[in-house]
Amino acid sequence: MFNYDYLEASPLIIRQADSIDFWLIGAGGTGSWLSYHIARLARGLGKSGKKVQLAIADPDIVEEANISRQAFCDKEIGLPKAQALALRYSIAWGVDATAFVQEFDPKLIRRAYDKLTILVGCVDTAAGRSAIN
């Protein structure tokens, strides 16, 4: 049988924004690996004329035990995870990246009508997911 569900679909119109803020919340096992892709997306959007900012929030420090399973290297041991990633993508690709070495707080988000804010949650606690919500 054929599926004709698309005939009842509603069109989705997304407001175009000249300014986009990406928030990566959590820079550990999942967030550190995902940061690469978000930074590349931010770079590409910036090259197309958008004003793009990347904010990375995580209170943790890179430890030796993180190296084998997270996207960090030996030279980053002792640095805050958010700071290591923000510095990496700022230097490598010129991405406007800011580190927040703290638990995510929704009050950090600068709201504006003409800005699109995208939150990417990579936290491993209920409290962290609640803050994002």
Side-chain angles (χ1 to χ4, degrees), residues 72-123:
F72 297 104
C73 65
D74 290 329
K75 295 293 184 186
E76 294 170 322
I77 294 173
L79 291 174
K81 291 178 179 180
Q83 186 179 22
L85 294 173
L87 184 62
R88 181 186 305 169
Y89 301 123
S90 292
I91 291 171
W93 296 328
V95 172
D96 184 2
T98 305
F100 291 90
V101 184
Q102 64 185 72
E103 296 284 342
F104 173 73
D105 183 344
K107 294 176 187 163
L108 294 170
I109 296 175
R110 291 165 275 144
R111 298 171 194 249
Y113 174 75
D114 59 344
K115 182 184 341 184
L116 174 63
T117 301
I118 300 171
L119 304 181
V120 180
C122 296
V123 297

Side-chain angles (χ1 to χ4, degrees), residues 36-88:
Y36 170 84
H37 302 287
I38 295 171
R40 287 196 67 92
L41 179 59
R43 180 181 186 270
L45 288 168
K47 294 280 185 188
S48 74
K50 305 280 186 192
K51 181 177 185 258
V52 183
Q53 295 181 310
L54 170 59
I56 303 170
D58 193 303
D60 292 338
I61 304 294
V62 178
E63 299 174 8
E64 188 171 350
N66 301 138
I67 304 302
S68 64
R69 58 188 174 77
Q70 298 180 9
F72 297 104
C73 65
D74 290 329
K75 295 293 184 186
E76 294 170 322
I77 294 173
L79 291 174
K81 291 178 179 180
Q83 186 179 22
L85 294 173
L87 184 62
R88 181 186 305 169

